[in-house]
Amino acid sequence: MLQRYVVVDIETTGNSAKKGDRIIQFSAVVIEGREIKEQFTSFVNPGQPVPAFIGELTGIEDHMLEDAPLFLEIAPRIMKMLENSIFVAHNVLFDLPFLQQELKEAGLPPFRGFNMDTVEFSRIAFPTLESYKLADLAEALSLSHERPHRADSDALVTAKLFLACIERCASLPLVTLEKLAPLSYSLKSDLAYLFQEILEEKRRHADDLPPELEVFRGIALRRKKIVPPASGPRVIGSYPATVGEKEKLFQGAGSGFEMRPAQFDMMDHVRDALSSGRHVAVEAGTGVGKSLAYLLPAAYQAVASQKPVLISTYTVALEHQLLNKEIKSLERILNVPLRTVLLKGRSHYLHLFKFEQSLKEQDHQYDSVLAKMQILVWLTDTESGDVDELNLSGGGKKYWRRIKQDGWHTDKKDPWKTRDFYLHAKACAEQADIAVTNHAMLCGELGRDRSVFDVFQYVIVDEAHHLEQAAREMMGKRADYNQMKYMVSRIGLYEQKQLFYELEQLMEKYGLHGRTHTFEAQSLLKALDAEIDDLFGMLARKVMRHKKDTSGYHKIKLRIKKENWKQKSWQAVLHCTERIRASLKDISQAVTERLEQLLAGKSLTEEEQAFIEEMYSFLADWDALRDNMAIFIGQNENGGRSDVVWLEGDLRALPNSLVIHCQPVYAGEILRNKLFAKKKSVVLTSATLTVNGSFQYFLQEVGLSAKTAKTVRIPSPFRYDKKVQFIIPSDLPDISTVRLDDFAEKTAGYLLAVSEATKGRMMILFTSFDLLKKVYQLMKDSGMLEDYMLIAQGISSGSRSRMTKTFQKFDKAILFGLSSFWEGVDIPGDDLSCLVMVRLPFLPPDEPVTEAKCDYLRAQGKNPFSAYSLPEAVLRFKQGFGRLIRTKTDRGIFLVLDRRIETTTYGPAFTKSLSPVRIKHQTLNETLDTIENWL
């Protein structure tokens, strides 16, 4: 490969060359014959000041550019380097136009060669990576990246990334490259040239297919591991009933295993529940080691009874931790290999027949092409066929809906059935000892007549405090503007040549005619499209009328109550929704009738068969949408269940962002009838199940009682009285007695002093974005935290895990978090030394689900505050407190700024729910002394 590539990175004063922004640093790396040959880097005098935020990001300041050459002076050298070369950059649509503008200003001709984008290339070569930002790619692929946001370091790492992508693609099987090359002509950058070159090179030096791969019908994929048949009982020995037996078992596994009496205690309770066929709720404090405490008895139960045990967790992160770490530790302890499987719902798996047929389409739509290329590469790696492994774009996810596995709708033979991912996962589950899933999957399957989880009689639910919420969400329904518009465009008018056109062409080929004429079906589709615009337009106006001062937070929710439908102002919405439902039904019938005619005795080609499968799949989603619209206006058959309906949207993007939600108010009954009544034993565990020592609230929420489930509390082995300084400020105002602005001002001043004493390493938890934003802004504008990294949810960019990583990376960092930071964030050691709760975590009373739950309890003659709001807040408080001490060596400061914890009658419910810890009431000066001495 003797082609010459020049990999460029630039730093600039801003984002737009046309608006006068200029280059401040240029770097280019030359690659020839797959080797880095040279690098040229220069600062550039932009003739204008460097904005402060650019200086902060790049570390490039005005004084560094004073003696630097003008762009005009280095332009001839750049032109010489680019001669007969391909231009490569990470996000080429930024760097290349910027460079072209600078060349134009210098009176030089533009670069006219090919360009290639490493963002696009890495998405194809490494389709399972979490992020395609340059720093994240460097970390994932172990490429050294010394100074991110400096052109010299960025250009060099981009060159290494480019070579890594070439190497990865060159290692792919010939059949995969033969499919990738033609698709690459629809990419945004000129990667087709490179794919063609790699393909030709492969043809000249074709190597043998690795033994772990196979080629079937022209597609290369990884061979599935053969599911071993259950070949009689395996020897695992008897369960270690005594402490001595458990210690002996752990000692035999070598070093790295800690003897924890609390963990042994929990093992016995889980063992007892599984073997006696009882339900049990176990609250296990931080440090108990609950994963191993339920896995060990689960393994004995599964192997001895030859019946698999299902473990459900709330987060994907814990799923992977169980499979990749905890179960491997368990195998070392038991010295017995365990059969484990990760289980998902059917639509998470790829339907290989539909995918194969979709590759034959003349489809130039960018997102679909990119997704096809990603999947072809991924098939050489994946053993599961699970979409969660892939990083698809938004458009790629729409394409996935077409090729997801959702069963077989016709009796025609699918040649890929023997290699089907979902059927393989199901077979593995039947032979497994332990299967791992998540609450969403578990609850999503509860309503089905036949479920992948039917085979499991023993279930362990970790993070069980989320089970009721997950059940509500999965039993809920939604309809959103974008999804409905997408579905209408997917079926398309005849002249748009989408699914409806293809269906009519097929009917014509076989001389068939639908009862609903093409013209009539067209009119129905046009009318439906207009009605959807009308409906969401009306709903957007309702949302705008109800919006309060959202203080910069653009997300809004509006509950729709049953009495709304009786009001005159809602009649137009009601009638429009009914017309949409009628149109959805008529179009569904017209399509179904055509499909039935085609299947009646016609010998269809494989391509036509795949098309009909896709049409039935599409119809299932279409009919679900119709049912969801019925629920929206309260015309559903839900057995007298109480539902809550609300609108949710972003005020900056109405009506496009609007979503209609509907959920059961209470999921306990569903869980009782569909889960607990059908399983021999369900173990529910979490670090936060009790309120003031009682399981009553949790049991009630999940549909159990003290009669139907045993309860066990296993306290944390940590001595919180020696690890935590719990401080309530005595010189801050009570939040209920002052204006929000005044409270924000006092809080910001207080936290500025505290953050300097703790040297950052502080997480501040809020319950409202409004207060978070005010405090963040006041602290930032104070000028006292110049050398601190301030990271704020809803203000700083990035996901929760990205923000957490950034927080851990900097010595002096302060993290401002909302609801999702109250739990599931693990920051052990010195990275987090101070945890602040600004307000007690009561849910907003006007939040639709909260409001509906309170109405529901009121109707039953209960006090919503004591029956729901308070216990829910106490559990969130415990979760928040749990962020501070993660290991036995951690210690820290816990500050609660909400004086209601001591001034109200309900305050003790919070303090008594924590492990024993001494509470101090101190002034700011006393607090600063405590921090000084403690940390």
Side-chain angles (χ1 to χ4, degrees), residues 717-737:
F718 298 156
R719 290 287 306 272
Y720 284 94
D721 53 337
K722 291 189 166 34
K723 287 176 159 291
V724 177
Q725 293 285 329
F726 183 166
I727 301 168
I728 300 170
S730 56
D731 48 1
L732 274 182
D734 186 330
I735 193 163
S736 53
T737 63

PDB file of all heavy atoms in Angstrom, residues 717-737:
ATOM      1  N   PRO A 717     -20.839  -4.161  57.396  1.00  0.00           N
ATOM      2  CA  PRO A 717     -19.768  -4.428  58.365  1.00  0.00           C
ATOM      3  C   PRO A 717     -18.925  -3.174  58.657  1.00  0.00           C
ATOM      4  O   PRO A 717     -18.095  -3.177  59.546  1.00  0.00           O
ATOM      5  CB  PRO A 717     -18.928  -5.502  57.668  1.00  0.00           C
ATOM      6  CG  PRO A 717     -19.188  -5.307  56.213  1.00  0.00           C
ATOM      7  CD  PRO A 717     -20.572  -4.767  56.083  1.00  0.00           C
ATOM      8  N   PHE A 718     -19.150  -2.096  57.869  1.00  0.00           N
ATOM      9  CA  PHE A 718     -18.358  -0.881  58.067  1.00  0.00           C
ATOM     10  C   PHE A 718     -18.783  -0.156  59.345  1.00  0.00           C
ATOM     11  O   PHE A 718     -19.976  -0.054  59.641  1.00  0.00           O
ATOM     12  CB  PHE A 718     -18.515   0.075  56.881  1.00  0.00           C
ATOM     13  CG  PHE A 718     -18.037  -0.474  55.562  1.00  0.00           C
ATOM     14  CD1 PHE A 718     -18.540   0.020  54.364  1.00  0.00           C
ATOM     15  CD2 PHE A 718     -17.079  -1.485  55.498  1.00  0.00           C
ATOM     16  CE1 PHE A 718     -18.109  -0.472  53.134  1.00  0.00           C
ATOM     17  CE2 PHE A 718     -16.635  -1.980  54.284  1.00  0.00           C
ATOM     18  CZ  PHE A 718     -17.158  -1.483  53.103  1.00  0.00           C
ATOM     19  N   ARG A 719     -17.799   0.395  60.071  1.00  0.00           N
ATOM     20  CA  ARG A 719     -18.083   1.219  61.261  1.00  0.00           C
ATOM     21  C   ARG A 719     -18.245   2.672  60.804  1.00  0.00           C
ATOM     22  O   ARG A 719     -17.300   3.435  60.761  1.00  0.00           O
ATOM     23  CB  ARG A 719     -16.939   1.080  62.276  1.00  0.00           C
ATOM     24  CG  ARG A 719     -16.850  -0.266  62.965  1.00  0.00           C
ATOM     25  CD  ARG A 719     -17.962  -0.459  63.996  1.00  0.00           C
ATOM     26  NE  ARG A 719     -18.022   0.615  64.987  1.00  0.00           N
ATOM     27  CZ  ARG A 719     -17.321   0.632  66.128  1.00  0.00           C
ATOM     28  NH1 ARG A 719     -16.504  -0.365  66.415  1.00  0.00           N
ATOM     29  NH2 ARG A 719     -17.436   1.645  66.972  1.00  0.00           N
ATOM     30  N   TYR A 720     -19.479   3.031  60.426  1.00  0.00           N
ATOM     31  CA  TYR A 720     -19.715   4.382  59.912  1.00  0.00           C
ATOM     32  C   TYR A 720     -19.401   5.459  60.949  1.00  0.00           C
ATOM     33  O   TYR A 720     -19.014   6.562  60.593  1.00  0.00           O
ATOM     34  CB  TYR A 720     -21.170   4.519  59.426  1.00  0.00           C
ATOM     35  CG  TYR A 720     -21.401   3.857  58.092  1.00  0.00           C
ATOM     36  CD1 TYR A 720     -21.868   2.544  58.001  1.00  0.00           C
ATOM     37  CD2 TYR A 720     -21.123   4.517  56.903  1.00  0.00           C
ATOM     38  CE1 TYR A 720     -22.048   1.920  56.777  1.00  0.00           C
ATOM     39  CE2 TYR A 720     -21.312   3.909  55.662  1.00  0.00           C
ATOM     40  CZ  TYR A 720     -21.774   2.612  55.615  1.00  0.00           C
ATOM     41  OH  TYR A 720     -21.951   1.998  54.393  1.00  0.00           O
ATOM     42  N   ASP A 721     -19.559   5.119  62.247  1.00  0.00           N
ATOM     43  CA  ASP A 721     -19.271   6.116  63.287  1.00  0.00           C
ATOM     44  C   ASP A 721     -17.780   6.485  63.289  1.00  0.00           C
ATOM     45  O   ASP A 721     -17.398   7.556  63.759  1.00  0.00           O
ATOM     46  CB  ASP A 721     -19.706   5.594  64.659  1.00  0.00           C
ATOM     47  CG  ASP A 721     -19.113   4.222  64.985  1.00  0.00           C
ATOM     48  OD1 ASP A 721     -18.745   3.503  64.037  1.00  0.00           O
ATOM     49  OD2 ASP A 721     -19.030   3.872  66.174  1.00  0.00           O
ATOM     50  N   LYS A 722     -16.930   5.586  62.727  1.00  0.00           N
ATOM     51  CA  LYS A 722     -15.496   5.877  62.661  1.00  0.00           C
ATOM     52  C   LYS A 722     -15.062   6.323  61.254  1.00  0.00           C
ATOM     53  O   LYS A 722     -13.924   6.690  61.041  1.00  0.00           O
ATOM     54  CB  LYS A 722     -14.699   4.627  63.071  1.00  0.00           C
ATOM     55  CG  LYS A 722     -14.837   4.297  64.566  1.00  0.00           C
ATOM     56  CD  LYS A 722     -13.865   3.210  64.938  1.00  0.00           C
ATOM     57  CE  LYS A 722     -13.661   3.033  66.434  1.00  0.00           C
ATOM     58  NZ  LYS A 722     -14.811   3.269  67.285  1.00  0.00           N
ATOM     59  N   LYS A 723     -15.979   6.244  60.314  1.00  0.00           N
ATOM     60  CA  LYS A 723     -15.617   6.540  58.924  1.00  0.00           C
ATOM     61  C   LYS A 723     -16.219   7.843  58.405  1.00  0.00           C
ATOM     62  O   LYS A 723     -15.759   8.395  57.415  1.00  0.00           O
ATOM     63  CB  LYS A 723     -16.107   5.391  58.005  1.00  0.00           C
ATOM     64  CG  LYS A 723     -15.287   4.125  58.128  1.00  0.00           C
ATOM     65  CD  LYS A 723     -15.891   3.030  57.261  1.00  0.00           C
ATOM     66  CE  LYS A 723     -14.861   1.970  56.945  1.00  0.00           C
ATOM     67  NZ  LYS A 723     -13.790   2.400  56.065  1.00  0.00           N
ATOM     68  N   VAL A 724     -17.323   8.275  59.037  1.00  0.00           N
ATOM     69  CA  VAL A 724     -18.067   9.419  58.495  1.00  0.00           C
ATOM     70  C   VAL A 724     -18.261  10.511  59.534  1.00  0.00           C
ATOM     71  O   VAL A 724     -18.616  10.226  60.687  1.00  0.00           O
ATOM     72  CB  VAL A 724     -19.464   8.959  57.984  1.00  0.00           C
ATOM     73  CG1 VAL A 724     -20.281  10.147  57.484  1.00  0.00           C
ATOM     74  CG2 VAL A 724     -19.321   7.934  56.874  1.00  0.00           C
ATOM     75  N   GLN A 725     -18.062  11.747  59.112  1.00  0.00           N
ATOM     76  CA  GLN A 725     -18.452  12.913  59.920  1.00  0.00           C
ATOM     77  C   GLN A 725     -19.753  13.440  59.297  1.00  0.00           C
ATOM     78  O   GLN A 725     -19.740  13.973  58.187  1.00  0.00           O
ATOM     79  CB  GLN A 725     -17.356  13.991  59.858  1.00  0.00           C
ATOM     80  CG  GLN A 725     -16.065  13.584  60.536  1.00  0.00           C
ATOM     81  CD  GLN A 725     -16.155  13.633  62.049  1.00  0.00           C
ATOM     82  OE1 GLN A 725     -16.886  14.441  62.624  1.00  0.00           O
ATOM     83  NE2 GLN A 725     -15.411  12.769  62.714  1.00  0.00           N
ATOM     84  N   PHE A 726     -20.870  13.243  59.970  1.00  0.00           N
ATOM     85  CA  PHE A 726     -22.190  13.673  59.483  1.00  0.00           C
ATOM     86  C   PHE A 726     -22.470  15.046  60.097  1.00  0.00           C
ATOM     87  O   PHE A 726     -22.618  15.168  61.310  1.00  0.00           O
ATOM     88  CB  PHE A 726     -23.225  12.628  59.904  1.00  0.00           C
ATOM     89  CG  PHE A 726     -24.638  12.889  59.422  1.00  0.00           C
ATOM     90  CD1 PHE A 726     -25.592  11.860  59.484  1.00  0.00           C
ATOM     91  CD2 PHE A 726     -25.055  14.116  58.926  1.00  0.00           C
ATOM     92  CE1 PHE A 726     -26.897  12.059  59.048  1.00  0.00           C
ATOM     93  CE2 PHE A 726     -26.349  14.327  58.484  1.00  0.00           C
ATOM     94  CZ  PHE A 726     -27.274  13.300  58.554  1.00  0.00           C
ATOM     95  N   ILE A 727     -22.516  16.067  59.245  1.00  0.00           N
ATOM     96  CA  ILE A 727     -22.661  17.443  59.744  1.00  0.00           C
ATOM     97  C   ILE A 727     -23.912  18.110  59.183  1.00  0.00           C
ATOM     98  O   ILE A 727     -24.167  18.056  57.973  1.00  0.00           O
ATOM     99  CB  ILE A 727     -21.412  18.291  59.370  1.00  0.00           C
ATOM    100  CG1 ILE A 727     -20.138  17.663  59.973  1.00  0.00           C
ATOM    101  CG2 ILE A 727     -21.566  19.751  59.819  1.00  0.00           C
ATOM    102  CD1 ILE A 727     -18.836  18.243  59.424  1.00  0.00           C
ATOM    103  N   ILE A 728     -24.686  18.736  60.076  1.00  0.00           N
ATOM    104  CA  ILE A 728     -25.815  19.581  59.668  1.00  0.00           C
ATOM    105  C   ILE A 728     -25.432  21.017  60.036  1.00  0.00           C
ATOM    106  O   ILE A 728     -25.191  21.314  61.206  1.00  0.00           O
ATOM    107  CB  ILE A 728     -27.119  19.175  60.385  1.00  0.00           C
ATOM    108  CG1 ILE A 728     -27.470  17.712  60.055  1.00  0.00           C
ATOM    109  CG2 ILE A 728     -28.263  20.103  59.981  1.00  0.00           C
ATOM    110  CD1 ILE A 728     -28.602  17.139  60.895  1.00  0.00           C
ATOM    111  N   PRO A 729     -25.324  21.935  59.057  1.00  0.00           N
ATOM    112  CA  PRO A 729     -24.911  23.310  59.364  1.00  0.00           C
ATOM    113  C   PRO A 729     -25.942  24.009  60.264  1.00  0.00           C
ATOM    114  O   PRO A 729     -27.147  23.912  60.024  1.00  0.00           O
ATOM    115  CB  PRO A 729     -24.863  23.989  57.991  1.00  0.00           C
ATOM    116  CG  PRO A 729     -24.867  22.886  56.998  1.00  0.00           C
ATOM    117  CD  PRO A 729     -25.575  21.737  57.626  1.00  0.00           C
ATOM    118  N   SER A 730     -25.431  24.704  61.261  1.00  0.00           N
ATOM    119  CA  SER A 730     -26.347  25.419  62.156  1.00  0.00           C
ATOM    120  C   SER A 730     -26.502  26.874  61.736  1.00  0.00           C
ATOM    121  O   SER A 730     -27.329  27.600  62.280  1.00  0.00           O
ATOM    122  CB  SER A 730     -25.821  25.345  63.594  1.00  0.00           C
ATOM    123  OG  SER A 730     -24.504  25.867  63.646  1.00  0.00           O
ATOM    124  N   ASP A 731     -25.723  27.325  60.729  1.00  0.00           N
ATOM    125  CA  ASP A 731     -25.796  28.736  60.340  1.00  0.00           C
ATOM    126  C   ASP A 731     -26.309  28.938  58.904  1.00  0.00           C
ATOM    127  O   ASP A 731     -26.088  29.967  58.289  1.00  0.00           O
ATOM    128  CB  ASP A 731     -24.424  29.408  60.512  1.00  0.00           C
ATOM    129  CG  ASP A 731     -23.281  28.598  59.914  1.00  0.00           C
ATOM    130  OD1 ASP A 731     -23.557  27.526  59.344  1.00  0.00           O
ATOM    131  OD2 ASP A 731     -22.123  29.036  60.035  1.00  0.00           O
ATOM    132  N   LEU A 732     -26.973  27.922  58.364  1.00  0.00           N
ATOM    133  CA  LEU A 732     -27.659  28.097  57.076  1.00  0.00           C
ATOM    134  C   LEU A 732     -29.160  28.227  57.338  1.00  0.00           C
ATOM    135  O   LEU A 732     -29.686  27.582  58.248  1.00  0.00           O
ATOM    136  CB  LEU A 732     -27.419  26.886  56.161  1.00  0.00           C
ATOM    137  CG  LEU A 732     -26.160  26.881  55.289  1.00  0.00           C
ATOM    138  CD1 LEU A 732     -26.135  25.632  54.423  1.00  0.00           C
ATOM    139  CD2 LEU A 732     -26.072  28.107  54.384  1.00  0.00           C
ATOM    140  N   PRO A 733     -29.894  29.003  56.520  1.00  0.00           N
ATOM    141  CA  PRO A 733     -31.340  29.148  56.769  1.00  0.00           C
ATOM    142  C   PRO A 733     -32.097  27.860  56.440  1.00  0.00           C
ATOM    143  O   PRO A 733     -31.634  27.046  55.632  1.00  0.00           O
ATOM    144  CB  PRO A 733     -31.745  30.273  55.818  1.00  0.00           C
ATOM    145  CG  PRO A 733     -30.730  30.246  54.721  1.00  0.00           C
ATOM    146  CD  PRO A 733     -29.453  29.799  55.359  1.00  0.00           C
ATOM    147  N   ASP A 734     -33.248  27.694  57.034  1.00  0.00           N
ATOM    148  CA  ASP A 734     -34.143  26.576  56.708  1.00  0.00           C
ATOM    149  C   ASP A 734     -34.741  26.879  55.328  1.00  0.00           C
ATOM    150  O   ASP A 734     -35.310  27.948  55.107  1.00  0.00           O
ATOM    151  CB  ASP A 734     -35.261  26.483  57.772  1.00  0.00           C
ATOM    152  CG  ASP A 734     -36.130  25.256  57.570  1.00  0.00           C
ATOM    153  OD1 ASP A 734     -36.284  24.829  56.415  1.00  0.00           O
ATOM    154  OD2 ASP A 734     -36.661  24.737  58.572  1.00  0.00           O
ATOM    155  N   ILE A 735     -34.602  25.926  54.415  1.00  0.00           N
ATOM    156  CA  ILE A 735     -35.033  26.147  53.020  1.00  0.00           C
ATOM    157  C   ILE A 735     -36.512  26.508  52.907  1.00  0.00           C
ATOM    158  O   ILE A 735     -36.930  27.218  51.998  1.00  0.00           O
ATOM    159  CB  ILE A 735     -34.691  24.911  52.147  1.00  0.00           C
ATOM    160  CG1 ILE A 735     -34.840  25.268  50.668  1.00  0.00           C
ATOM    161  CG2 ILE A 735     -35.528  23.699  52.515  1.00  0.00           C
ATOM    162  CD1 ILE A 735     -34.165  24.329  49.724  1.00  0.00           C
ATOM    163  N   SER A 736     -37.319  26.045  53.866  1.00  0.00           N
ATOM    164  CA  SER A 736     -38.759  26.301  53.779  1.00  0.00           C
ATOM    165  C   SER A 736     -39.128  27.715  54.254  1.00  0.00           C
ATOM    166  O   SER A 736     -40.271  28.133  54.130  1.00  0.00           O
ATOM    167  CB  SER A 736     -39.539  25.254  54.578  1.00  0.00           C
ATOM    168  OG  SER A 736     -39.027  25.203  55.898  1.00  0.00           O
ATOM    169  N   THR A 737     -38.129  28.473  54.762  1.00  0.00           N
ATOM    170  CA  THR A 737     -38.450  29.807  55.306  1.00  0.00           C
ATOM    171  C   THR A 737     -37.878  30.946  54.467  1.00  0.00           C
ATOM    172  O   THR A 737     -38.115  32.115  54.776  1.00  0.00           O
ATOM    173  CB  THR A 737     -37.900  29.944  56.753  1.00  0.00           C
ATOM    174  OG1 THR A 737     -36.473  29.832  56.702  1.00  0.00           O
ATOM    175  CG2 THR A 737     -38.477  28.887  57.680  1.00  0.00           C
TER     176      THR A 737
END
